[in-house]
Amino acid sequence: MANYFDTKIEFLKGVGERIAKLLREELQISTFGDLLQHYPFRHEDRSQFHQISEVHENMPYIQLVGKVQRVETVGVGNKKRLVAYFSDGTGVLELVWFQGARWIASNLKMQTDYVVFGKPNRFGSKFSIAHPEMEVYVPGQQEAKPLQPVYATTEKLKRGRVDSKAIAKLQKRLIERAYERIPETLPAYLIEQYGLISKKDAMRHIHFPESIEWLEKARFRLKFEELFYVQLRILKLKLSKMEKSPGQLLGDTQLVHAFYEKHLPFELTEAQKKVIREIFEDLRSGKQMNRLLQGDVGSGKTIVAFICMLIAIGSGAQVAMMAPTEILAEQHFRGLKDFAKQLGLHIALLTGSTKTKERRIIDRMLRDGDLHILVGTHALLEEHVQFNNLGLSIVDEQHRFGVAQRARLWQKNDRFVPHVLVMTATPIPRTLAMTLYGDLDVSVIDELPAGRKPIKTVHRYEKNRLTVFGFIREQVNLGRQIYIVYPLIEESEKLDLKHLEDGYESIRRAFPDLPVSVVHGRMKAADKDFEMQRFAAGKTKIMVATTVIEVGVNVPNASVMIIENAERFGLAQLHQLRGRVGRGAEQSYCILMTEYKLSKESKVRLNTMVRTNDGFEVSEVDLKLRGPGDIEGTQQSGVLDLLVADITKDGKILQEARLSAMLVLEKDPELILTDHQPIRNHIYSLRQDSTNWSKIS
Ligand code: ADP
Ligand code: MG
């Protein structure tokens, strides 16, 4: 049966070949269904007049009625503008024009009632509307207009006379014809439980709402549905994985006990113990583990990983650990080597710089099963790397790896898919984690080792530099070490390197008696490594570096992190950098150095860093500032392609949608109940329509 919504857009009255081509090329709209899903991105509210006294910042485009009291020109140069003071008796609002001032000034009439239409902005305690639409008020005429949809278009479309209004006209025509045919996509009991409106009403009111309330209902319904289907897909995937992949039984704890009793250098935190128990349950369950281990920087994920390795090795399997950079892989290797030695285990490091001769030895030992632990970069994924019996793959800092790479690790064992533990220090807000990693089980280390003092973070300007230098001296005298980090991005690499070198020089001049290391991405790996080692061993007191030290580096004696041009870093990066200190028992500090002039967003970032040490709180703010699109790892997940829902704002709906999807699958994993017919039909229609399906899968 041909689906009505797959009808080519040419068949809609008013759409000729020319417009069809434009819609297809500019907006990827080629069918009725595509057009209906081209939702307006906002509505103009001409349904009522608001009062100036009730105007607030978050209002959309609104309508006011009142009189112009006075007009004046203010500012000079390109700040010059015309301001009209507009009053409706409840308050005064400024109307502002940057262009066409002369014409407007001579045409505005005082004592005439105007309808003003626009988006209110706030400046301090005042509100203003820039370049408002205005017309003379005629009682009884302007109120009646319903909410108007505003659609995204492109320059090319507008030039072809397909503007927002033209699209609205087509939508109106289509929705009238299609309304009765729009199938319900959710089961009746969910609609009832959540008080949702029907799919067809939602489609009508998302375009042409009768009122703000209806618009809200339509949005809620469509968001719920969208998130429900995302979750249903992820959960189904998870279910099928659980069915299909038996896992190697890894349940031996002898090695763990030996380590625990003789070698463990500290008491584990309760959170670490809890997480180890969760992983242990997985490893011995007979099913393949796919688990995400989240823990803020410094929460002690490495030791957890090692103990899990011991369970696997004790049960006769091998372990791989993959890190995103050579520096980090080496650091893991070094950290694990001593533990391994104490227990008589064999461990090796494999990266791009591993010599052929050594590589051959590694390959052979791996195949013979003599090598217990292999740590490395993505070099681990290469063909020649073949294990005798890979039982557990640990991936550190997951957000740097694509899903496809993760999957390649699974193929390293012919008999069983290895258990996978993904570790990330980027605290992902729960809402996002649920969507991104919905196919993984999640464990969280939500506690730092005892005795850690929260890092003190301050924001300082250039004029404070001497004081900051004084502080460096003080800390070095106390026996501590200092990081000074400079931003470096490709686009301005030359200039950035110069800043770093200048900074290095000024440090040398200010502290001629102190040994200083410098590390940046342009250095040879061996030189970088040499400098890192010197700093880690305490031979140098100050480390001047770019963000190469961002991930994972561990020097517990370093207690001060100074970030230069901190306004140029993103929040996640700032938090990662800060996490390099505060790893020992000493009080640690993070100093954010910036210029005076800061954008609003930079200020929010800096204030957030000063206010909190909590990585989850930081990541929530980050998500709000940037939206999920920029958060690493989201690219492949499909969360970006959501049409109505917004992962940064709709966390509550997401939770309900997920819960519903879980209940549905629990009750009816194959979706065969009559109640679930709408779901079955919808999934089927999504599969038919490749464009839509790709949006969801
Ligand atoms: P991350 O989670 O950032 O990878 P690490 O595993 O590097 O953190 O641990 C940070 C530091 O804390 C290391 O020096 C580690 O030895 C130490 N550490 C880990 N767990 C504990 C604990 N339970 N008690 C004391 N120190 C710990
Ligand atoms: Mg780490």
Side-chain angles (χ1 to χ4, degrees), residues 277-290:
R277 274 197 299 272
E278 285 168 358
I279 297 170
F280 179 54
E281 287 307 319
D282 282 359
L283 292 179
R284 64 167 187 180
S285 70
K287 291 190 177 138
Q288 189 240 356
M289 170 176 80
N290 271 302

Side-chain angles (χ1 to χ4, degrees), residues 236 680-690 692-693:
K236 274 203 81 145
R680 224 163 36 243
N681 291 348
H682 187 54
I683 292 178
Y684 180 77
S685 75
L686 289 176
R687 282 213 185 106
Q688 295 293 301
D689 180 353
S690 57
N692 269 341
W693 182 243

Side-chain angles (χ1 to χ4, degrees), residues 135-165:
E135 58 190 29
V136 174
Y137 175 60
V138 186
Q141 209 171 77
Q142 280 104 338
E143 285 99 328
K145 281 183 202 152
L147 287 162
Q148 300 293 321
V150 182
Y151 295 95
T153 59
T154 65
E155 277 312 308
K156 216 170 159 191
L157 276 166
K158 277 187 220 156
R159 265 184 273 125
R161 292 183 307 281
V162 186
D163 58 4
S164 172
K165 285 219 170 83

Side-chain angles (χ1 to χ4, degrees), residues 43-49 61-63 115-118 133 135 142-148 165:
H43 285 82
E44 292 181 352
D45 185 0
R46 299 204 188 222
S47 62
Q48 57 174 311
F49 293 116
Y61 280 63
I62 55 160
Q63 233 177 187
V115 175
V116 163
F117 179 74
E133 275 180 42
E135 58 190 29
Q142 280 104 338
E143 285 99 328
K145 281 183 202 152
L147 287 162
Q148 300 293 321
K165 285 219 170 83

Side-chain angles (χ1 to χ4, degrees), residues 499-689:
H499 285 155
L500 178 132
E501 266 149 30
D502 292 349
Y504 175 63
E505 279 311 313
S506 77
I507 289 289
R508 294 292 305 260
R509 274 198 302 278
F511 305 99
D513 55 321
L514 295 184
V516 181
S517 281
V518 62
V519 168
H520 56 78
R522 276 295 188 81
M523 290 163 65
K524 286 207 195 88
D527 295 343
K528 255 193 280 190
D529 204 44
F530 178 74
E531 286 300 325
M532 293 284 231
Q533 298 282 15
R534 289 210 310 154
F535 186 69
K539 287 182 190 143
T540 52
K541 300 297 168 194
I542 301 176
M543 160 73 77
V544 179
T546 57
T547 49
V548 289
I549 63 153
E550 178 191 344
V551 183
V553 173
N554 190 16
V555 181
N557 192 48
S559 66
V560 182
M561 168 63 65
I562 298 173
I563 304 176
E564 300 286 345
N565 289 115
E567 74 277 6
R568 288 181 53 197
F569 291 91
L571 256 182
Q573 228 180 352
L574 288 173
H575 183 68
Q576 280 290 324
L577 284 169
R578 175 168 64 183
R580 299 305 110 212
V581 297
R583 309 195 135 223
E586 308 305 334
Q587 176 63 54
S588 290
Y589 304 87
C590 175
I591 303 175
L592 307 168
M593 302 292 295
T594 75
E595 301 175 4
Y596 286 102
K597 260 186 108 172
L598 294 171
S599 71
K600 211 163 137 193
E601 248 192 66
S602 301
K603 278 185 203 150
V604 174
R605 288 200 297 265
L606 296 163
N607 290 341
T608 304
M609 288 293 294
V610 171
R611 190 186 72 236
T612 181
N613 268 304
D614 180 342
F616 285 92
E617 211 177 317
V618 170
S619 72
E620 295 277 356
V621 176
D622 197 30
L623 186 62
K624 285 201 179 104
L625 283 180
R626 301 198 299 171
D630 284 332
I631 292 193
E632 288 170 273
T634 56
Q635 275 80 354
Q636 320 93 344
S637 68
V639 282
L640 293 182
D641 299 325
L642 295 174
L643 287 176
V644 269
D646 177 347
I647 217 79
T648 62
K649 296 185 189 129
D650 298 325
K652 270 216 183 94
I653 306 178
L654 174 60
Q655 263 168 40
E656 295 298 331
R658 180 173 170 83
L659 193 68
S660 305
M662 267 151 95
L663 291 177
V664 164
L665 288 177
E666 219 164 79
K667 219 187 317 180
D668 181 17
E670 300 301 323
L671 301 172
I672 44 181
L673 296 179
T674 321
D675 273 355
H676 295 148
Q677 178 85 29
I679 300 181
R680 224 163 36 243
N681 291 348
H682 187 54
I683 292 178
Y684 180 77
S685 75
L686 289 176
R687 282 213 185 106
Q688 295 293 301
D689 180 353

Side-chain angles (χ1 to χ4, degrees), residues 266-269 272 295-303 425 449-450 452 552 554 556 580 583:
F266 36 66
E267 181 69 19
L268 292 178
T269 63
Q272 285 171 318
D296 209 343
V297 276
S299 61
K301 293 184 291 295
T302 315
I303 196 77
R452 294 270 173 82
N554 190 16
R580 299 305 110 212
R583 309 195 135 223

